[in-house]
Amino acid sequence: MTRIGHDQNRPMIRIGFYGTASDIAQWEESLDGRLPPFEIVELMSDAGASCDVALVWAPPRDAFTRCPNLRGIIMQGQGVDHMMRDDTVPRDIPLVRLIDPDMANALSHWAILNALDFWRDGAAYRDQEQRRVWQHIPQRPATGAKIGILGIGAIGNVIARRFAALGFEVRGYARTPRSIEGVATFAGSDQLAAFADGLDIVVSVLPLTPETTGIMNAGFFGMLADGAFIINGGRGPQVDDDDLLAALDSGKLGGAALDVFAVEPLPQDHPFWTHPKVRVWPHVAAQTNATSAAEQVAAAITAMMDGSEPANRVDWSRGY
Ligand code: GLV
């Protein structure tokens, strides 16, 4: 953006933008006043080829090979799995992911919404209402659910603490040991069975890595309580779709709320769309908020322009 008082001798920071869930105007407004003079251009345009930093979500393959001045890439979200799959993304400059508290709030609200709707038989009462049926369904113990959170990092630990505050028995699972007050924590694949044993509700907010791909499969479902509920806000490939459908149809699982899918948008002919026990959400559990993320994005751009280490830099070997 051009601003009054801009020093004409100092080149503007050029930010290359790519994404569909937010737009250039939103970022111009939210970053205004937080950076020296800057302009935001479409990454894939001619101007984008000379960008200093990139602010992206799901960019096309080879997007960055045409940007010789690029000093760093900032994601408009948490997940970096599609960047990991693209070997044309430069690895010698920082890649930063958003760790936005507002996204943790939104994802925790979405998880609680779905967990309570399941625990309090929301679907069955909505169905009764449609048919004008006045009938009690025996209430489950108000605080009796055993809830397991797969992934207890920046987002998952907020979710775990909030379920604990609702009075539920909460377990958390992560790659490496972590401790959260009021939550029983488990680490690594050796402890996955102990984590899963008898859970009524599972919430995944894991990043997608080779270790987490297919983690929710028939073997995992078999360890849960009968009639358990799956909430996936992590990544689609963490669920084995065929195993999930089989466990829902056999009655082993009571239902699933899914915000993420192996293929997005979810193909029109996918059985999840019409399955009575599956709730489909179009990857909206935590949408990027240019206002709440602005401070962090501005700090990352400042660090990249100064050549200093930005916060929340992705570790390529860890995969997130
Ligand atoms: C959304 O799925 C994100 O990774 O931010």
Side-chain angles (χ1 to χ4, degrees):
M1 300 183 97
T2 315
R3 262 183 253 118
I4 299 157
H6 167 49
D7 171 358
Q8 295 301 328
N9 297 320
R10 189 174 164 185
M12 281 205 230
I13 302 172
R14 181 167 284 185
I15 303 169
F17 173 89
Y18 190 89
T20 49
S22 62
D23 63 40
I24 287 182
Q26 286 170 330
W27 288 104
E28 279 178 345
E29 191 183 329
S30 71
L31 292 173
D32 192 18
R34 296 178 187 271
L35 288 171
F38 68 92
E39 62 179 350
I40 310 184
V41 299
E42 296 287 351
L43 176 66
M44 303 311 288
S45 69
D46 286 348
S50 59
C51 67
D52 302 296
V53 295
L55 177 61
V56 300
W57 184 252
R61 201 181 151 74
D62 272 328
F64 307 106
T65 46
R66 26 187 302 287
C67 307
N69 306 332
L70 194 64
R71 296 171 188 234
I73 304 168
I74 302 160
M75 303 298 298
Q76 292 165 34
Q78 297 256 346
V80 291
D81 37 298
H82 33 329
M83 304 298 269
M84 294 284 148
R85 284 196 297 272
D86 182 349
D87 60 10
T88 70
V89 175
R91 299 193 173 199
D92 54 347
I93 55 171
L95 172 64
V96 163
R97 64 195 186 114
L98 277 192
I99 308 280
D100 180 357
D102 201 56
M103 289 179 90
N105 283 330
L107 207 45
S108 72
H109 295 172
W110 178 81
I112 292 167
L113 167 73
N114 283 289
L116 294 183
D117 189 57
F118 162 68
W119 197 243
R120 296 306 304 264
D121 293 303
Y125 283 117
R126 284 190 292 276
D127 175 59
Q128 288 192 175
E129 183 189 345
Q130 289 295 316
R131 296 181 289 114
R132 303 181 190 213
V133 172
W134 180 278
Q135 190 177 304
H136 294 183
I137 297 168
Q139 188 191 303
R140 296 183 175 98
T143 60
K146 294 187 180 66
I147 302 194
I149 316 299
L150 283 168
I152 43 175
I155 290 177
N157 91 83
V158 174
I159 298 177
R161 285 188 281 111
R162 289 182 176 171
F163 274 119
L166 290 174
F168 294 116
E169 182 181 326
V170 183
R171 299 181 202 157
Y173 174 87
R175 193 176 56 98
T176 51
R178 288 169 186 262
S179 79
I180 305 174
E181 202 187 326
V183 176
T185 55
F186 300 79
S189 50
D190 292 351
Q191 294 186 8
L192 187 63
F195 163 82
D197 183 37
L199 288 175
D200 298 297
I201 299 173
V202 175
V203 178
S204 173
V205 286
L206 286 166
L208 186 65
T209 65
E211 295 78 48
T212 67
T213 300
I215 192 168
M216 287 175 277
N217 56 21
F220 180 82
F221 300 143
M223 296 186 265
L224 308 177
D226 288 342
F229 195 80
I230 303 297
I231 299 174
N232 192 10
R235 282 293 182 264
Q238 286 156 5
V239 167
D240 183 309
D241 288 3
D242 292 337
D243 288 2
L244 178 64
L245 288 164
L248 290 167
D249 291 340
S250 74
K252 174 64 200 175
L253 292 179
L258 309 173
D259 187 52
V260 287
F261 302 89
V263 178
E264 294 181 13
L266 184 64
Q268 287 292 312
D269 59 353
H270 198 289
F272 287 160
W273 280 116
T274 49
H275 199 290
K277 291 181 171 176
V278 177
R279 302 272 71 78
V280 171
W281 294 71
H283 204 141
V284 290
Q287 298 176 43
T288 303
N289 179 336
T291 305
S292 60
E295 189 179 329
Q296 212 183 113
V297 170
I301 293 173
T302 304
M304 287 167 181
M305 295 308 292
D306 289 352
S308 58
E309 184 70 10
N312 302 322
R313 184 171 181 173
V314 170
D315 175 345
W316 285 90
S317 62
R318 195 178 61 165
Y320 58 94

